[in-house]
Structure formats: structure tokens, C-alpha cells
Amino acid sequence: MKTQKIIFKLMIMIVLLFAAPASAQETEADTEMPVGEIISVENQATIFRGQDEQEQEIKAQAKLPVFAGDRIVTEENSSVNFSINQSLFKLGSSSEMAVDDYSDIEAEEETPVIQLVLGFLHSVINSKDGKASLSEVHTPTAVAGVR
């Protein structure tokens, strides 16, 4: 009788183990494809990933993927170089930006929108297969689009 109870409990535990998600704190970024990648970091920068209570602080470093919804913040005397859609961007010192969901620009390929919240952003827009890559950058006072 005791062994039957133990076996029954073990079976329930096994079922629950396989039925539960791989991670209780799984974020959207875990299930989505990255939109870009960090190329290099000078000094100190942080990526904030996720929403509200589930937001994670990640130290920015080379080869780290960038997802829609990420916020990148640089400290004083720091910068981050990253790529999105084969275009290169440099977020300057004491700056903050967010990678929003995709643009409303009519295109064959979806393009994430970059929200420059504070600071400096330099970009080099590259072409893809002879066609110009689309980019859209929003600031508190203006919207810039490149075709």
C-alpha cells in the first residue's frame, strides 16, 4: 500500500515536471527571434529586457542578441555599437534607447523602430542585395525614416 502511494506520487511529479514550462520566468524575448546584435561595448552599458516585474537587467556585451522590446542604456563615457537589419548603430554616452515592435513602413521585411529616449545615436544604413534597408528612428521631438 505504501509503495503504491509512493509510485502514484512519483508519477504525478513526473507529469507535472513535463507539463510545466521550461522556465517560470520565460519572457517574450525567449520565444522570439532577435532583431539585431551587440557588436561592441565601450565601458558600461545595460540592456533591460522584459516587462514590469519580470524585467531583467543584462550587462551589455559583444555578440549579445537584441530583441524587440529591449531598452539599452549607456553610462557616462560609454557607448554601444549594434546592428539591426545589416545597418550599424552607435548609442553614445549617457544615452537611452528602446527597440520597439515593427514599423508601419510598407516593406517586404519587417523593420523594428528605434526610440531614442535620451542622448546620441549615430547610424550607418546599409543596403541589402542592392536595395536600401529601411529604418525608422523616433525621438521625443521628431521621427526620421530612411528608405
Side-chain angles (χ1 to χ4, degrees):
M1 187 76 159
K2 263 188 168 179
T3 56
Q4 287 179 338
K5 284 183 180 182
I6 292 173
I7 291 173
F8 180 72
K9 287 179 182 179
L10 283 173
M11 289 176 57
I12 289 176
M13 288 174 41
I14 290 171
V15 169
L16 291 175
L17 177 68
F18 287 109
S23 170
Q25 295 182 347
E26 186 175 284
T27 64
E28 283 184 30
D30 293 333
T31 58
E32 291 181 12
M33 294 294 294
V35 296
E37 180 179 79
I38 301 291
I39 296 169
S40 65
V41 178
E42 183 180 325
N43 294 328
Q44 186 79 16
T46 305
I47 296 176
F48 295 92
R49 184 168 291 154
Q51 300 283 329
D52 303 322
E53 303 88 36
Q54 294 181 352
E55 185 176 67
Q56 301 171 337
E57 262 187 60
I58 303 167
K59 182 179 179 185
Q61 57 189 7
K63 300 205 183 271
L64 192 67
V66 175
F67 294 93
D70 283 358
R71 279 187 313 120
I72 302 174
V73 178
T74 59
E75 300 294 324
E76 191 173 343
N77 299 319
S78 300
S79 65
V80 173
N81 293 299
F82 62 97
S83 66
I84 292 178
N85 287 351
Q86 296 182 346
S87 294
L88 304 175
F89 298 88
K90 179 178 183 175
L91 186 63
S93 176
S94 301
S95 298
E96 179 179 345
M97 59 149 281
V99 181
D100 284 348
D101 286 332
Y102 293 100
S103 166
D104 292 332
I105 296 175
E106 291 179 17
E108 294 173 13
E109 187 174 317
E110 295 178 322
T111 304
V113 174
I114 296 174
Q115 290 273 358
L116 181 62
V117 177
L118 175 70
F120 171 80
L121 180 69
H122 176 80
S123 62
V124 177
I125 308 300
N126 292 318
S127 65
K128 286 184 175 179
D129 304 326
K131 298 178 185 176
S133 173
L134 298 175
S135 279
E136 192 169 314
V137 177
H138 294 207
T139 70
T141 56
V143 174
V146 176
R147 284 188 162 226

mmCIF file of all heavy atoms in Angstrom, residues 9-31:
data_model
loop_
_atom_site.group_PDB
_atom_site.id
_atom_site.type_symbol
_atom_site.label_atom_id
_atom_site.label_comp_id
_atom_site.label_asym_id
_atom_site.label_seq_id
_atom_site.Cartn_x
_atom_site.Cartn_y
_atom_site.Cartn_z
ATOM 1 N N LYS A 9 2.647 9.159 -6.305
ATOM 2 C CA LYS A 9 3.206 10.496 -6.120
ATOM 3 C C LYS A 9 4.320 10.767 -7.121
ATOM 4 O O LYS A 9 4.427 11.860 -7.671
ATOM 5 C CB LYS A 9 3.713 10.667 -4.692
ATOM 6 C CG LYS A 9 2.600 10.797 -3.657
ATOM 7 C CD LYS A 9 3.160 10.941 -2.259
ATOM 8 C CE LYS A 9 2.028 11.009 -1.240
ATOM 9 N NZ LYS A 9 2.533 11.122 0.136
ATOM 10 N N LEU A 10 5.167 9.779 -7.358
ATOM 11 C CA LEU A 10 6.241 9.939 -8.341
ATOM 12 C C LEU A 10 5.681 10.166 -9.744
ATOM 13 O O LEU A 10 6.200 10.995 -10.500
ATOM 14 C CB LEU A 10 7.165 8.713 -8.328
ATOM 15 C CG LEU A 10 8.148 8.626 -7.176
ATOM 16 C CD1 LEU A 10 8.880 7.287 -7.205
ATOM 17 C CD2 LEU A 10 9.141 9.770 -7.238
ATOM 18 N N MET A 11 4.627 9.447 -10.083
ATOM 19 C CA MET A 11 4.009 9.606 -11.406
ATOM 20 C C MET A 11 3.432 11.016 -11.560
ATOM 21 O O MET A 11 3.577 11.648 -12.608
ATOM 22 C CB MET A 11 2.940 8.543 -11.631
ATOM 23 C CG MET A 11 3.523 7.151 -11.838
ATOM 24 S SD MET A 11 2.300 5.843 -11.987
ATOM 25 C CE MET A 11 1.316 6.396 -13.347
ATOM 26 N N ILE A 12 2.790 11.517 -10.518
ATOM 27 C CA ILE A 12 2.230 12.873 -10.564
ATOM 28 C C ILE A 12 3.362 13.893 -10.722
ATOM 29 O O ILE A 12 3.258 14.832 -11.514
ATOM 30 C CB ILE A 12 1.377 13.157 -9.314
ATOM 31 C CG1 ILE A 12 0.082 12.336 -9.402
ATOM 32 C CG2 ILE A 12 1.063 14.644 -9.197
ATOM 33 C CD1 ILE A 12 -0.801 12.457 -8.202
ATOM 34 N N MET A 13 4.444 13.711 -9.980
ATOM 35 C CA MET A 13 5.579 14.631 -10.075
ATOM 36 C C MET A 13 6.170 14.627 -11.478
ATOM 37 O O MET A 13 6.514 15.685 -12.020
ATOM 38 C CB MET A 13 6.642 14.279 -9.029
ATOM 39 C CG MET A 13 6.201 14.633 -7.616
ATOM 40 S SD MET A 13 7.317 14.111 -6.285
ATOM 41 C CE MET A 13 8.914 14.443 -6.899
ATOM 42 N N ILE A 14 6.271 13.467 -12.090
ATOM 43 C CA ILE A 14 6.822 13.367 -13.443
ATOM 44 C C ILE A 14 5.909 14.072 -14.445
ATOM 45 O O ILE A 14 6.366 14.825 -15.298
ATOM 46 C CB ILE A 14 7.052 11.888 -13.835
ATOM 47 C CG1 ILE A 14 8.215 11.308 -13.019
ATOM 48 C CG2 ILE A 14 7.321 11.757 -15.325
ATOM 49 C CD1 ILE A 14 8.398 9.826 -13.161
ATOM 50 N N VAL A 15 4.608 13.866 -14.318
ATOM 51 C CA VAL A 15 3.654 14.528 -15.209
ATOM 52 C C VAL A 15 3.745 16.041 -15.053
ATOM 53 O O VAL A 15 3.777 16.787 -16.033
ATOM 54 C CB VAL A 15 2.213 14.019 -14.944
ATOM 55 C CG1 VAL A 15 1.196 14.882 -15.661
ATOM 56 C CG2 VAL A 15 2.082 12.572 -15.369
ATOM 57 N N LEU A 16 3.787 16.514 -13.824
ATOM 58 C CA LEU A 16 3.888 17.953 -13.579
ATOM 59 C C LEU A 16 5.203 18.522 -14.086
ATOM 60 O O LEU A 16 5.253 19.638 -14.601
ATOM 61 C CB LEU A 16 3.716 18.260 -12.094
ATOM 62 C CG LEU A 16 2.325 18.037 -11.522
ATOM 63 C CD1 LEU A 16 2.320 18.269 -10.016
ATOM 64 C CD2 LEU A 16 1.315 18.945 -12.206
ATOM 65 N N LEU A 17 6.251 17.774 -13.960
ATOM 66 C CA LEU A 17 7.556 18.220 -14.428
ATOM 67 C C LEU A 17 7.545 18.460 -15.929
ATOM 68 O O LEU A 17 8.028 19.476 -16.422
ATOM 69 C CB LEU A 17 8.631 17.191 -14.054
ATOM 70 C CG LEU A 17 10.050 17.495 -14.541
ATOM 71 C CD1 LEU A 17 10.590 18.714 -13.801
ATOM 72 C CD2 LEU A 17 10.943 16.303 -14.323
ATOM 73 N N PHE A 18 6.969 17.540 -16.685
ATOM 74 C CA PHE A 18 6.938 17.676 -18.139
ATOM 75 C C PHE A 18 5.857 18.639 -18.612
ATOM 76 O O PHE A 18 5.953 19.191 -19.699
ATOM 77 C CB PHE A 18 6.769 16.311 -18.809
ATOM 78 C CG PHE A 18 8.005 15.474 -18.732
ATOM 79 C CD1 PHE A 18 8.059 14.370 -17.912
ATOM 80 C CD2 PHE A 18 9.131 15.806 -19.459
ATOM 81 C CE1 PHE A 18 9.197 13.597 -17.824
ATOM 82 C CE2 PHE A 18 10.285 15.050 -19.390
ATOM 83 C CZ PHE A 18 10.320 13.940 -18.563
ATOM 84 N N ALA A 19 4.847 18.877 -17.821
ATOM 85 C CA ALA A 19 3.770 19.791 -18.206
ATOM 86 C C ALA A 19 4.144 21.243 -17.937
ATOM 87 O O ALA A 19 3.629 22.146 -18.580
ATOM 88 C CB ALA A 19 2.487 19.442 -17.459
ATOM 89 N N ALA A 20 5.044 21.495 -16.989
ATOM 90 C CA ALA A 20 5.441 22.868 -16.634
ATOM 91 C C ALA A 20 6.337 23.443 -17.718
ATOM 92 O O ALA A 20 7.065 22.722 -18.387
ATOM 93 C CB ALA A 20 6.180 22.848 -15.299
ATOM 94 N N PRO A 21 6.295 24.773 -17.933
ATOM 95 C CA PRO A 21 7.196 25.396 -18.907
ATOM 96 C C PRO A 21 8.642 25.234 -18.468
ATOM 97 O O PRO A 21 8.932 25.056 -17.283
ATOM 98 C CB PRO A 21 6.773 26.864 -18.911
ATOM 99 C CG PRO A 21 6.000 27.069 -17.663
ATOM 100 C CD PRO A 21 5.427 25.731 -17.282
ATOM 101 N N ALA A 22 9.556 25.336 -19.427
ATOM 102 C CA ALA A 22 10.973 25.147 -19.134
ATOM 103 C C ALA A 22 11.479 26.158 -18.117
ATOM 104 O O ALA A 22 12.330 25.854 -17.311
ATOM 105 C CB ALA A 22 11.776 25.245 -20.422
ATOM 106 N N SER A 23 10.918 27.346 -18.148
ATOM 107 C CA SER A 23 11.327 28.378 -17.198
ATOM 108 C C SER A 23 10.103 29.154 -16.753
ATOM 109 O O SER A 23 9.328 29.612 -17.563
ATOM 110 C CB SER A 23 12.333 29.325 -17.856
ATOM 111 O OG SER A 23 12.552 30.430 -17.030
ATOM 112 N N ALA A 24 9.939 29.306 -15.465
ATOM 113 C CA ALA A 24 8.778 30.031 -14.949
ATOM 114 C C ALA A 24 8.842 31.508 -15.300
ATOM 115 O O ALA A 24 7.826 32.172 -15.372
ATOM 116 C CB ALA A 24 8.691 29.857 -13.438
ATOM 117 N N GLN A 25 10.049 32.036 -15.531
ATOM 118 C CA GLN A 25 10.203 33.447 -15.843
ATOM 119 C C GLN A 25 10.495 33.654 -17.322
ATOM 120 O O GLN A 25 11.201 34.571 -17.708
ATOM 121 C CB GLN A 25 11.318 34.052 -15.013
ATOM 122 C CG GLN A 25 11.010 34.061 -13.546
ATOM 123 C CD GLN A 25 12.119 34.717 -12.754
ATOM 124 O OE1 GLN A 25 13.205 34.949 -13.241
ATOM 125 N NE2 GLN A 25 11.835 35.018 -11.505
ATOM 126 N N GLU A 26 9.943 32.832 -18.178
ATOM 127 C CA GLU A 26 10.178 32.951 -19.612
ATOM 128 C C GLU A 26 9.609 34.264 -20.120
ATOM 129 O O GLU A 26 8.480 34.629 -19.841
ATOM 130 C CB GLU A 26 9.505 31.769 -20.320
ATOM 131 C CG GLU A 26 9.808 31.704 -21.795
ATOM 132 C CD GLU A 26 9.223 30.456 -22.401
ATOM 133 O OE1 GLU A 26 9.809 29.391 -22.174
ATOM 134 O OE2 GLU A 26 8.199 30.566 -23.082
ATOM 135 N N THR A 27 10.414 35.019 -20.857
ATOM 136 C CA THR A 27 9.972 36.293 -21.407
ATOM 137 C C THR A 27 9.676 36.127 -22.889
ATOM 138 O O THR A 27 10.006 35.117 -23.494
ATOM 139 C CB THR A 27 11.062 37.369 -21.228
ATOM 140 O OG1 THR A 27 12.206 36.969 -21.989
ATOM 141 C CG2 THR A 27 11.418 37.559 -19.777
ATOM 142 N N GLU A 28 9.070 37.153 -23.486
ATOM 143 C CA GLU A 28 8.795 37.111 -24.913
ATOM 144 C C GLU A 28 10.085 36.957 -25.706
ATOM 145 O O GLU A 28 10.116 36.305 -26.730
ATOM 146 C CB GLU A 28 8.088 38.399 -25.347
ATOM 147 C CG GLU A 28 6.644 38.437 -24.978
ATOM 148 C CD GLU A 28 5.974 39.692 -25.521
ATOM 149 O OE1 GLU A 28 6.402 40.186 -26.580
ATOM 150 O OE2 GLU A 28 5.022 40.146 -24.881
ATOM 151 N N ALA A 29 11.165 37.583 -25.218
ATOM 152 C CA ALA A 29 12.434 37.514 -25.920
ATOM 153 C C ALA A 29 12.935 36.079 -26.042
ATOM 154 O O ALA A 29 13.646 35.746 -26.980
ATOM 155 C CB ALA A 29 13.475 38.371 -25.212
ATOM 156 N N ASP A 30 12.555 35.213 -25.103
ATOM 157 C CA ASP A 30 12.994 33.828 -25.158
ATOM 158 C C ASP A 30 12.344 33.082 -26.317
ATOM 159 O O ASP A 30 12.868 32.082 -26.779
ATOM 160 C CB ASP A 30 12.659 33.100 -23.849
ATOM 161 C CG ASP A 30 13.464 33.638 -22.674
ATOM 162 O OD1 ASP A 30 14.576 34.147 -22.895
ATOM 163 O OD2 ASP A 30 12.964 33.543 -21.547
ATOM 164 N N THR A 31 11.180 33.524 -26.768
ATOM 165 C CA THR A 31 10.470 32.812 -27.812
ATOM 166 C C THR A 31 10.549 33.519 -29.162
ATOM 167 O O THR A 31 10.156 32.954 -30.158
ATOM 168 C CB THR A 31 8.982 32.645 -27.426
ATOM 169 O OG1 THR A 31 8.414 33.935 -27.210
ATOM 170 C CG2 THR A 31 8.846 31.789 -26.186
#
